[in-house]
């Protein structure tokens, strides 16, 4: 099974965004302990590449790099062992470089022009960002009319309570961050609480996706 197929099968990707490398590592481990198999370390985390490198050594999860804004960051992420590259925007140079290096590219887009451009440049999955602010599920329904062949990742506004509404639209995956990795958990170093939040999401997904 390819990584894209695994992402589409599991549906859940978690974005780790904290202020220190150690808290990012611990939060990521807590998510993995809760059943997450695909997560990204955002490059807003100091020394994010070291966190990716450490997670690759100590876990079997698929670790990617998020908030990649420059080629230099993509190079550092790939050297650290990232298996996919996520950006909040579309930069053709980053997509081309990522694909040339053999990794999965997940650029961000929020207009029909950006979505088409990102897809044509080689984006494997298009991150609709900021999803809630651009219209959420209604936007996805409309854009899928002319562009049904594109894989979409949904990011923003997702909770355990509305998860079924998002999954009903059959996205390639959903990206969750602060709904699981809550700021107060990070500040109090309550890693068990993050694991419990993760378990809730993973369990809900399994109930909604019998084949997952």
């Amino acid at each position: 099974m390819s990584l894209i197929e695994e992402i589409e099968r599991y549906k859940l990707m978690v974005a780790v965004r904290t202020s220190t490398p150690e808290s990012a590592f611990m939060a990521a481990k807590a998510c993995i302990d809760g059943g997450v198999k695909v997560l990204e370390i955002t490059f807003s985390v100091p020394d994010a590449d070291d966190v990716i490198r450490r997670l690759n050594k100590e876990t079997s999860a698929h670790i990617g790099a998020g908030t990649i804004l420059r080629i230099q960051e993509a190079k550092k992420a790939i050297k650290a062992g990232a298996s996919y590259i996520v950006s909040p925007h579309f930069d053709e140079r980053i997509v081309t470089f990522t694909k040339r290096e053999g990794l999965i590219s997940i650029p961000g887009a929020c207009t029909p022009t950006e979505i088409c451009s990102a897809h044509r440049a080689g984006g494997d999955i298009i991150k609709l960002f900021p999803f809630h602010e651009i219209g959420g599920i209604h936007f996805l329904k409309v854009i899928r009319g002319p562009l049904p062949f594109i894989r979409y990742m949904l990011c923003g506004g997702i909770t355990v309570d509305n998860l079924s509404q998002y999954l009903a639209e059959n996205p390639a995956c959903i990206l969750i961050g602060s709904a699981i990795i809550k700021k107060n958990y990070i500040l109090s170093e309550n890693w068990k609480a993050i694991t419990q939040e993760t378990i809730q999401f993973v369990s809900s997904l399994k109930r909604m996706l019998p084949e997952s």
Side-chain angles (χ1 to χ4, degrees):
M1 185 180 294
S2 69
L3 180 52
I4 290 181
E5 289 173 330
E6 288 196 56
I7 289 172
E8 290 188 299
R9 176 190 177 194
Y10 294 125
K11 295 294 183 190
L12 176 64
M13 182 186 297
V14 174
V16 179
R17 187 186 305 275
T18 67
S19 60
T20 69
E22 187 60 25
S23 61
F25 175 80
M26 294 302 295
K29 276 282 279 108
C31 290
I32 294 168
D33 290 344
V36 167
K37 301 182 183 299
V38 185
L39 59 84
E40 67 171 73
I41 304 299
T42 67
F43 259 60
S44 57
V45 174
D47 301 319
D49 54 327
D50 288 337
V51 179
I52 292 171
R53 192 174 289 109
R54 186 178 172 190
L55 287 168
N56 276 326
K57 288 180 180 178
E58 300 186 29
T59 76
S60 59
H62 297 293
I63 311 299
T67 318
I68 297 297
L69 306 178
R70 304 172 184 83
I71 293 288
Q72 291 80 2
E73 293 170 341
K75 288 180 178 178
K76 288 178 68 175
I78 291 170
K79 188 175 181 181
S83 54
Y84 60 92
I85 300 293
V86 184
S87 295
H89 69 311
F90 167 55
D91 184 325
E92 186 171 357
R93 295 167 300 175
I94 294 175
V95 173
T96 300
F97 173 76
T98 300
K99 297 307 297 176
R100 188 168 64 238
E101 294 295 314
L103 274 69
I104 290 173
S105 173
I106 308 178
C110 68
T111 68
T113 298
E114 287 180 343
I115 292 167
C116 285
S117 296
H119 174 72
R120 288 172 179 167
D124 297 290
I125 300 171
I126 307 304
K127 174 183 176 181
L128 295 180
F129 178 80
F131 184 61
H132 179 71
E133 287 76 7
I134 63 177
I137 290 174
H138 180 68
F139 176 82
L140 177 62
K141 289 177 181 290
V142 172
I143 205 69
R144 267 215 174 121
L147 304 173
F149 49 85
I150 293 176
R151 295 183 180 96
Y152 295 101
M153 179 164 77
L154 312 183
C155 172
I158 303 166
T159 66
V160 170
D161 293 333
N162 65 19
L163 183 60
S164 61
Q165 298 173 34
Y166 285 78
L167 291 176
E169 300 306 318
N170 193 31
C173 68
I174 57 174
L175 179 66
I176 295 176
S178 59
I180 287 177
I181 306 175
K182 297 179 179 178
K183 186 176 181 180
N184 60 308
Y185 294 160
I186 297 295
L187 292 174
S188 62
E189 298 185 353
N190 192 346
W191 314 121
K192 289 185 179 179
I194 292 176
T195 297
Q196 289 303 313
E197 294 282 357
T198 306
I199 289 171
Q200 286 190 50
F201 270 94
V202 172
S203 298
S204 295
L205 275 167
K206 286 182 178 180
R207 288 195 299 271
M208 298 171 194
L209 301 169
E211 297 179 0
S212 63

